[in-house]
Amino acid sequence: MGAEPRTRHGVTALLILVGVAITVYAVDQVSKYFVVTNLAEGEIVQVIGDVLHWQFVRNPGAAFSFASGMTWVFTILAAGVITFIIWFARRIRSVAWALVFGLLLGGVLGNLTDRLFREPGFGIGHVIDFISTPWMLPAIYNVADIAIVSSMILFMILTIRGVGLDGSRPAKPVEDGTGSAEAETPDRDARGGAAAELARES
């Protein structure tokens, strides 16, 4: 892959990462604004029977209400994750990996904003949670949490499938006629083509 295609793919991946992050962040913050301005804390609104509820709570812990009482720890961790993603983003050439880091960045930024600027104070603010699906999870969560978990699921899928940051995948082994498998590479194809041409000329 030449320098120009690599650069073009890198720019495309970066734009997707930023676009996804901004979208997740905007949806998360707007949804929290409507919850805070329209629901009383603790109020439950049935949206789809017992399948989906809105339930406004303030969460001092991590995603899905875990580890309450350690808000400042998650504030520091979130700042570290954001710094890493910004530094690492220039290496990404794959749309799928850009989606992973875009979802993660938008979700982490959404919850970090709550911890920095909501009560009870800077760095220890409580995250606004409001999505309740009691049939699936006992916890209450938000759009940022969904984005973070989705990024982790996609991360595992790409890792298991061996997809690289540039979108490449491991070469599939091919039979060489002796029962053994060899990886198919451009060099091998070139050697095979040259041998065939030589056989035709002789």
Side-chain angles (χ1 to χ4, degrees):
M1 183 181 294
E4 185 176 346
R6 285 177 60 87
T7 301
R8 184 169 61 251
H9 292 159
V11 171
T12 300
L14 184 60
L15 290 174
I16 291 173
L17 189 157
V18 173
V20 170
I22 291 174
T23 300
V24 169
Y25 180 78
V27 173
D28 177 69
Q29 291 299 303
V30 169
S31 63
K32 288 173 179 175
Y33 170 79
F34 279 107
V35 167
V36 171
T37 55
N38 291 283
L39 296 181
E41 191 169 351
E43 180 181 356
I44 300 176
V45 177
Q46 288 190 340
V47 181
I48 307 176
D50 293 329
V51 176
L52 176 64
H53 300 167
W54 297 153
Q55 183 175 353
F56 174 19
V57 298
R58 297 181 186 272
N59 173 21
F64 300 102
S65 303
F66 295 135
S68 297
M70 299 180 64
T71 305
W72 65 272
V73 174
F74 296 112
T75 300
I76 295 173
L77 289 175
V81 169
I82 292 170
T83 301
F84 171 78
I85 293 175
I86 293 174
W87 171 79
F88 193 73
R90 60 188 176 85
R91 302 187 179 188
I92 301 172
R93 302 289 185 273
S94 163
V95 170
W97 279 109
L99 182 60
V100 169
F101 287 101
L103 287 168
L104 182 61
L105 180 59
V108 173
L109 275 172
N111 284 339
L112 180 61
T113 299
D114 287 7
R115 293 190 178 103
L116 291 177
F117 301 112
R118 295 192 186 275
E119 298 178 353
F122 183 82
I124 56 172
H126 293 178
V127 175
I128 303 300
D129 287 338
F130 62 93
I131 302 173
S132 174
T133 48
W135 61 276
M136 182 175 64
L137 288 171
I140 303 171
Y141 48 99
N142 57 41
V143 173
D145 295 337
I146 295 174
I148 293 170
V149 172
S150 298
S151 73
M152 293 298 98
I153 293 173
L154 184 54
F155 173 87
M156 289 188 291
I157 292 173
L158 294 177
T159 301
I160 291 172
R161 296 183 63 184
V163 179
L165 291 174
D166 60 353
S168 63
R169 298 181 62 180
K172 294 182 179 180
V174 295
E175 294 293 334
D176 62 358
T178 63
S180 61
E182 296 184 10
E184 184 175 359
T185 64
D187 290 342
R188 175 181 172 85
D189 293 341
R191 290 197 301 271
E197 184 65 25
L198 182 60
R200 285 196 298 268
E201 292 177 356
S202 60

